Amino acid sequence: MSLSPFLGKVFLVDLVKGLSVTFHYQSEKERITEQYPQERPVVYERYRGQPRLNVNPDTGESMCIVCNLCALACPEQLITVKGERNPVSKRKEVVSWTYDISRCMFCGLCEEACSTDALELTPDYEMALYSRQGMVLDQAALEKGQAPVRYAK
Amino acid sequence: MSKGTEHLDLDNLDVGTKEKTFLDSTELVLNMGPQHPSTHGVLRVILKLDGEKVLGTECVIGYLHRGVEKIGENRTYAMFNPYVDRMDYVAAVSNGLGYCETVEKLLSVEAPARAQYIRVIMTELCRIASHQVWLGTHALDIGALTPLFYAFRDREEILKIFERYCGARLTTHAFRIGGCIYETYDGFEQDVKKYCTFFLPKLDEYEELLTTNRIWVTRTKNVGILKPEDCIALGVTGPVLRASGVKWDLRKAQPYECYKDLDFEIPTGLNGDTYDRYLVRIAEMRQSVRILQQAVERIPPGPIMAKVPKVIKPPVGEVYHSIEAPKGELGYFIVSDGSTQPYRVRVRPPSFVNLQALDTMVRGMLVADVVAVIGTLDIVLGEVDR
Amino acid sequence: MLDAIKTYLNSTVTPGEAGSQFWALLYIVAITLGISLAVIAMNWLERKILAHMQIRLGPMRVGPHGLMQPFADALKLLIKEDIIPANADKLVFWSAPVVVTMTAFTTFLVVPFGRTHAVTDMNIGVLFMLGISSLGVLGIIMAGWSSNSHYPLMGSLRSSAQMVSYEVAMGLAIVCAVLMTSLQTGTGTLSMIGIVQAQQAQGMWFIFKFFPLGFLAFVVFAIAMIAETNRAPFDLPEAESELVAGFHTEYSGFRWSLFFLAEYAAMLAVSSIAVTLWLGGWLRPFPNLLSGPAWDLAFSLIPGLSFLVMAAGCFLGTMRMPKIVQMRAQAIGLGTFGALLGLLGLVMLAPAVRDRIQDIFWFVAKVAVFMYLYIWYRGTFPRYRFDQLMKVGWKVLLPIGLGVLILTALVGMRHELLAVVVGGTR
């Protein structure tokens, strides 16, 4: 064996190189842990999270036109939309609108299928509930969105 | 050729007469159960041992079977797209790419050039991410605790890019049949370039920790040797095949997307042992960075979605198309009967076929090597069981 | 009473040598408490340092920065259900952890924290420590056997084979150091205090003596002691990802914590041997290079200053805690801990305390460096397979140890040898 690799083996150079790598990661600059729930992660706007039925900010009425495209697009068929035609404005209005979060895989097909900007998957990810009953969201819950519970003393 | 797997008849196992205790018999059947820190998922491996040496293995799979192919028969083509991400959940983008390309082949459409470049960038990022998971878990099995955390920390940057692009980190559902639906976000190219400059020194760090480390080398050299003839006979693909010396990569052999316009190399190994597979995957990560650096400079402007009907009804027929997923050749065989739902979707998962090589690789090895070999095959049980 | 304390403070020998049973007993209690405290500290330090090397934070919630984590773990282990396997040999099952723990603690009878700060000074100190730690292997075999299960038995056999193999290399390295006590000046001695005094008399730590021979012997011992205590990279018998589980699989709750305690105490014991034999025991660094009353004063201030630095670190941590209501208790706790450390540091700066504390501080500091090395190795290296492990012990360390021993003897006796050679040829 030539001299340099032999010396490397004798002086455990390969082991020392590994040791130096782990040593330098101890510095404070390398810490990237986010202490949840004090520090909440940054989530980007395209994140497919909690669904929300958007409401027209000017008029306050729902933007959903009951076209049923979202229900048809969903692979799991967990959206049910029922509406009736308003005889005055000749437009369909929502009677009941449910979305089952327990089976949703957040694929985004419903969001893409929506012909208006009514159904949106927001970047909200704190959707934990204590029971399955609350997982079928109705129109009111969907329009409000789900604000995380802040624990305060 | 392998010596042939004897099917272990567990009820009539011959371990000597009843008077002998377990200390007297020379053969032992050991069960590496479905719950085990090193089987990378729910895999059950039954080992027949002679003291420390392995005489034969049998893998029992199916603990993660979710009927994905059956689901495919009951969903429309566009609806099935999110489900394929869940098979190889570590590299979801590749699964989506394979499926979309297969349906596009059935429909005889081709994604526009811009979509192809975006797809290649996402797929190569996914390849790096998948190899990082492999590196971390493989090193952990062999005893090095820290590369896992370094690999996941670097993978976090890729997942951030995925999140900014398509809205999810793991089950990305990034592509659609006919192209991409998401346009690149502002800063996509900068993020990818920044990642490339960030990642190359990290790759050097992984190598400093492991490649020349004498403990790593003694643990992985000449362990789990797979000869090239055995590879081809068993149908093994991916880095395992390339480490045995066979220079076969679908990106070069049957180019898809825009790989023919990009300049990269196929790393191969010499001996086909665990160390070579490690070196090949590290080299593949470097080549992926090279592809990324080229592709990100050359994204052409233009449409990102081809003209695909809203309701996809392919003509009657069948097609098989495969891509080079991080783990090997991922193939989709779709039979269409002319309706909106496929008649049959068959997935050829690379991990499933590679797992069959486990028996050939561990015969004659010690028990502690079985864990190393399972790690080096880079299997994901979601893919094996579907 | 006051006379008793005065005689103790003015004595120049260890209590065991002086024949004073009361103080010896007090020392034994102090050392036992000290080891337990050290194990608790090691538990916390290992989790934190390993986490920092892995870009994580480690325990942060249980106390301020996880300081109460070891106590929480101990409490949890104490209140766990005591499970004994069905056909286990109950007496052996019960006594195995006791054997292992007692041997680990008994080795500390001869460990010198200072000239007068040891329980006793046997004239076969090193041999005693080596012998008693070999008894620990018996406890491991007992544990594996009594569990009445295949995997713990195999694990314990492997563990004991590994420990016994590396004891040979350890023994050779120790003989090398003991040899150095008599080379060229002084008489040879196996007594721990005697070895440190030989280093003091010869004016250099044995790690530097006959460079590189002393250093090589030290390295051989350092590697062998890691394998002796079943730590990474030689921790195959206890690894979780391997198929054959360790010898302590069937032990849960308090019995397991005894094994855990014994492992850390054994680590401390072998590190103490290494420190005593090669790194000058309780002697302060650079006794010859930086000698003189000024340097003596400077070095004697270091213990107090180090505690003050730790206190400053705690206060920094307190100021950086998030200023929300939920973290108030932690902030107060950390501040109090910092204040305690600061008080201790100030006490240690007082002249009366300073001189007496010196020896103990340097000894503990050197052992702490070894503990950090243990954790560093665990975070960096993969583990050896069992046959490779045995190969390293028998085929690498043993020949090197033998070679170093022979070379040390040759180099140490070179004048006499030359005289014989020259005289013989004349």
Side-chain angles (χ1 to χ4, degrees):
Chain A
M1 212 188 306
S2 60
L3 190 63
S4 174
F6 177 69
L7 284 179
K9 251 182 104 91
V10 164
F11 286 102
L12 308 175
V13 168
D14 47 315
L15 299 180
V16 170
K17 274 203 299 196
L19 286 174
S20 71
V21 169
T22 45
F23 189 74
H24 109 261
Y25 269 105
Q26 291 184 276
S27 80
E28 280 294 317
K29 297 197 295 291
E30 302 283 350
R31 305 278 148 263
I32 52 165
T33 310
E34 289 166 348
Q35 297 266 69
Y36 188 85
Q38 279 91 27
E39 308 164 31
R40 292 198 145 83
V42 168
V43 171
Y44 299 103
E45 44 173 310
R46 285 191 193 176
Y47 188 79
R48 305 195 294 257
Q50 163 92 15
R52 187 175 65 199
L53 260 185
N54 284 327
V55 161
N56 193 331
D58 304 320
T59 61
E61 38 179 58
S62 174
M63 288 168 71
C64 174
I65 57 169
V66 196
C67 62
N68 212 27
L69 283 175
C70 54
L72 289 172
C74 178
E76 288 290 309
Q77 291 160 359
L78 45 91
I79 303 181
T80 59
V81 188
K82 286 208 245 307
E84 62 181 16
R85 202 172 280 279
N86 185 332
V88 173
S89 66
K90 293 287 190 288
R91 291 178 51 207
K92 274 186 160 174
E93 281 176 7
V94 180
V95 165
S96 88
W97 210 107
T98 60
Y99 189 112
D100 188 358
I101 278 198
S102 64
R103 284 165 44 223
C104 175
M105 55 173 162
F106 300 98
C107 62
L109 283 172
C110 55
E111 187 186 25
E112 286 167 32
C114 181
S115 42
T116 58
D117 276 330
L119 182 57
E120 187 188 331
L121 289 179
T122 60
D124 192 8
Y125 51 87
E126 283 152 331
M127 296 181 271
L129 295 170
Y130 278 104
S131 76
R132 234 181 238 200
Q133 272 60 41
M135 293 231 156
V136 180
L137 302 176
D138 60 0
Q139 185 185 8
L142 282 166
E143 285 178 0
K144 194 172 64 150
Q146 213 153 352
V149 176
R150 301 267 162 193
Y151 297 102
K153 255 198 225 142
Chain B
M1 189 51 208
S2 64
K3 299 185 202 80
T5 42
E6 321 138 279
H7 186 77
L8 295 177
D9 187 0
L10 290 174
D11 296 325
N12 302 318
L13 219 43
D14 177 23
V15 283
T17 61
K18 274 221 176 343
E19 277 72 73
K20 289 191 187 164
T21 65
F22 64 77
L23 285 172
D24 296 335
S25 60
T26 53
E27 283 178 358
L28 170 70
V29 171
L30 195 68
N31 180 42
M32 205 164 137
Q35 293 156 318
H36 195 278
S38 309
T39 52
H40 296 271
V42 274
L43 170 69
R44 182 174 170 214
V45 181
I46 305 175
L47 298 166
K48 194 168 176 192
L49 302 174
D50 170 18
E52 279 271 330
K53 276 178 44 147
V54 177
L55 296 175
T57 66
E58 181 169 325
C59 294
V60 180
I61 58 173
Y63 289 92
L64 197 48
H65 180 69
R66 294 156 292 174
V68 169
E69 294 180 356
K70 183 69 184 172
I71 289 178
E73 296 171 16
N74 295 308
R75 302 282 185 277
T76 63
Y77 288 89
M79 274 190 198
F80 187 55
N81 214 341
Y83 288 92
V84 296
D85 289 341
R86 271 92 175 150
M87 288 194 306
D88 179 3
Y89 37 78
V90 170
V93 174
S94 303
N95 295 19
L97 178 71
Y99 176 71
C100 290
E101 284 205 342
T102 313
V103 180
E104 284 162 15
K105 196 164 166 179
L106 199 54
L107 291 172
S108 308
V109 300
E110 199 181 310
R114 185 177 171 82
Q116 287 191 1
Y117 271 88
I118 296 177
R119 280 179 170 184
V120 163
I121 292 176
M122 291 289 285
T123 310
E124 290 305 317
L125 281 172
C126 170
R127 191 180 308 271
I128 299 177
S130 170
H131 282 332
Q132 278 173 334
V133 172
W134 161 80
L135 179 68
T137 51
H138 187 219
L140 188 65
D141 287 339
I142 299 204
L145 303 173
T146 39
L148 175 72
F149 296 95
Y150 297 164
F152 271 71
R153 184 252 176 280
D154 303 329
R155 182 167 179 258
E156 189 67 22
E157 304 298 320
I158 297 184
L159 296 184
K160 281 199 184 128
I161 296 179
F162 284 175
E163 187 190 334
R164 288 183 84 168
Y165 174 72
C166 57
R169 290 152 52 103
L170 192 70
T171 50
T172 41
H173 194 206
F175 310 134
R176 302 289 183 272
I177 298 170
C180 305
I181 197 166
Y182 293 105
E183 185 53 81
T184 60
Y185 59 90
D186 286 335
F188 181 71
E189 290 90 351
Q190 282 88 298
D191 272 349
V192 174
K193 279 191 234 181
K194 207 164 57 156
Y195 182 76
C196 294
T197 41
F198 159 80
F199 180 58
L200 281 174
K202 301 284 180 188
L203 202 52
D204 294 330
E205 254 176 29
Y206 303 156
E207 294 225 67
E208 244 183 84
L209 262 180
L210 295 174
T211 306
T212 48
N213 189 326
R214 63 187 62 196
I215 308 177
W216 181 261
V217 170
T218 44
R219 206 53 210 275
T220 55
K221 252 201 160 27
N222 297 325
V223 166
I225 294 185
L226 196 58
K227 293 201 270 295
E229 313 84 61
D230 287 340
C231 279
I232 298 177
L234 286 165
V236 165
T237 52
V240 183
L241 176 68
R242 291 194 276 281
S244 296
V246 180
K247 201 163 180 147
W248 174 260
D249 186 328
L250 283 175
R251 294 175 288 172
K252 289 273 198 204
Q254 300 166 359
Y256 52 93
E257 297 295 328
C258 57
Y259 279 109
K260 46 187 168 320
D261 302 329
L262 296 168
D263 180 35
F264 60 100
E265 280 163 19
I266 312 292
T268 52
L270 287 170
N271 301 326
D273 58 9
T274 304
Y275 189 63
D276 276 344
R277 285 187 278 272
Y278 161 79
L279 288 176
V280 161
R281 287 196 176 98
I282 299 272
E284 269 188 19
M285 281 201 258
R286 279 192 211 278
Q287 294 302 315
S288 286
V289 169
R290 200 169 143 189
I291 296 177
L292 280 173
Q293 283 167 333
Q294 291 170 49
V296 104
E297 301 288 340
R298 289 148 71 147
I299 305 184
I304 50 170
M305 194 76 172
K307 277 200 79 69
V308 170
K310 220 164 179 303
V311 172
I312 297 179
K313 260 192 182 180
V316 174
E318 58 189 39
V319 73
Y320 174 80
H321 182 70
S322 55
I323 62 161
E324 184 74 23
K327 299 179 166 55
E329 174 180 336
L330 173 65
Y332 287 84
F333 176 67
I334 300 184
V335 177
S336 156
D337 59 356
S339 68
T340 52
Q341 297 180 343
Y343 180 74
R344 172 85 169 104
V345 176
R346 157 83 172 121
V347 180
R348 181 226 184 264
S351 309
F352 181 76
V353 183
N354 290 0
L355 192 56
Q356 300 182 50
L358 181 69
D359 187 64
T360 320
M361 286 159 85
V362 298
R363 288 200 178 208
M365 300 274 140
L366 303 180
V367 167
D369 292 327
V370 174
V371 167
V373 168
I374 293 180
T376 187
L377 279 176
D378 195 9
I379 53 174
V380 168
L381 265 297
E383 212 175 35
V384 172
D385 289 340
R386 278 157 283 142
Chain C
M1 172 72 167
L2 224 60
D3 295 325
I5 298 184
K6 271 227 191 80
T7 37
Y8 159 69
L9 285 175
N10 292 333
S11 86
T12 52
V13 290
T14 62
E17 291 172 61
S20 121
Q21 287 168 338
F22 169 70
W23 287 106
L25 204 61
L26 207 66
Y27 265 49
I28 291 178
V29 170
I31 286 186
T32 312
L33 285 175
I35 301 175
S36 309
L37 195 68
V39 169
I40 289 176
M42 261 297 282
N43 189 6
W44 179 80
L45 273 173
E46 167 151 41
R47 289 178 72 160
K48 281 303 250 188
I49 295 177
L50 200 60
H52 279 234
M53 287 181 182
Q54 293 167 346
I55 328 180
R56 306 181 281 128
L57 283 174
M60 291 288 282
R61 306 257 169 202
V62 184
H65 286 271
L67 282 168
M68 300 294 287
Q69 182 75 44
F71 300 104
D73 285 342
L75 188 65
K76 180 210 77 167
L77 286 168
L78 278 172
I79 61 180
K80 258 190 161 171
E81 178 187 355
D82 189 22
I83 301 176
I84 301 186
N87 295 325
D89 191 338
K90 285 206 175 35
L91 182 61
V92 182
F93 191 81
W94 171 88
S95 53
V98 173
V99 166
V100 181
T101 317
M102 282 299 116
T103 56
F105 274 72
T106 311
T107 50
F108 279 91
L109 273 178
V110 290
V111 163
F113 293 84
R115 175 61 190 92
T116 61
H117 299 304
V119 175
T120 181
D121 181 35
M122 296 186 196
N123 53 358
I124 50 157
V126 175
L127 196 60
F128 175 78
M129 283 193 82
L130 214 52
I132 297 285
S133 47
S134 304
L135 267 184
V137 180
L138 176 67
I140 290 179
I141 299 181
M142 284 164 70
W145 174 260
S146 63
S147 297
N148 194 37
S149 169
H150 190 103
Y151 307 141
L153 180 64
M154 280 178 70
S156 80
L157 289 175
R158 278 201 199 173
S159 210
S160 50
Q162 172 187 331
M163 288 168 85
V164 160
S165 321
Y166 280 87
E167 267 170 13
V168 181
M170 267 172 78
L172 280 176
I174 289 179
V175 168
C176 192
V178 164
L179 193 59
M180 285 190 198
T181 60
S182 69
L183 284 175
Q184 297 184 320
T185 60
T187 57
T189 168
L190 277 171
S191 131
M192 299 278 271
I193 294 186
I195 294 178
V196 178
Q197 284 176 324
Q199 292 180 65
Q200 197 171 21
Q202 292 180 21
M204 77 159 77
W205 291 356
F206 284 161
I207 192 176
F208 301 118
K209 199 172 162 76
F210 301 148
F211 198 81
L213 291 176
F215 186 70
L216 260 178
F218 170 72
V219 166
V220 166
F221 186 83
I223 298 177
M225 81 180 184
I226 301 177
E228 178 75 16
T229 46
N230 280 340
R231 288 280 293 191
F234 302 104
D235 62 348
L236 187 79
E238 343 181 299
E240 294 155 354
S241 63
E242 305 299 330
L243 295 177
V244 175
F247 56 89
H248 48 64
T249 318
E250 298 291 338
Y251 286 84
S252 62
F254 189 62
R255 298 180 205 277
W256 181 84
S257 69
L258 280 180
F259 276 117
F260 179 76
L261 182 69
E263 175 178 322
Y264 278 125
M267 277 162 66
L268 288 167
V270 287
S271 306
S272 309
I273 300 182
V275 164
T276 314
L277 258 58
W278 282 277
L279 291 182
W282 67 79
L283 302 172
R284 71 162 173 84
F286 303 117
N288 293 324
L289 214 59
L290 306 170
S291 58
W295 282 110
D296 281 340
L297 182 68
F299 274 102
S300 67
L301 288 176
I302 290 185
L305 284 176
S306 65
F307 270 83
L308 286 176
V309 164
M310 283 201 275
C314 286
F315 289 134
L316 201 67
T318 315
M319 286 199 285
R320 289 207 276 183
M321 286 252 184
K323 303 211 178 4
I324 53 179
V325 157
Q326 293 93 337
M327 304 294 275
R328 213 189 285 160
Q330 287 199 2
I332 295 175
L334 195 58
T336 322
F337 187 65
L340 273 169
L341 285 176
L343 204 64
L344 208 60
L346 286 173
V347 162
M348 285 168 56
L349 280 178
V353 179
R354 197 160 68 203
D355 302 319
R356 292 181 201 285
I357 286 290
Q358 268 251 65
D359 299 339
I360 305 180
F361 175 80
W362 288 115
F363 188 85
V364 171
K366 291 175 198 174
V367 172
V369 167
F370 273 89
M371 293 294 115
Y372 181 77
L373 283 177
Y374 265 112
I375 301 174
W376 200 3
Y377 296 158
R378 181 164 181 218
T380 313
F381 299 136
R383 66 177 71 94
Y384 271 113
R385 206 173 60 208
F386 192 65
D387 59 320
Q388 295 161 351
L389 204 156
M390 299 299 267
K391 195 171 81 138
V392 167
W394 290 103
K395 288 198 193 174
V396 174
L397 285 186
L398 181 61
I400 295 182
L402 262 177
V404 167
L405 181 60
I406 294 174
L407 279 175
T408 311
L410 285 174
V411 171
M413 300 287 282
R414 59 182 183 275
H415 301 298
E416 286 85 342
L417 275 174
L418 248 91
V420 163
V421 166
V422 167
T425 52
R426 212 174 320 150

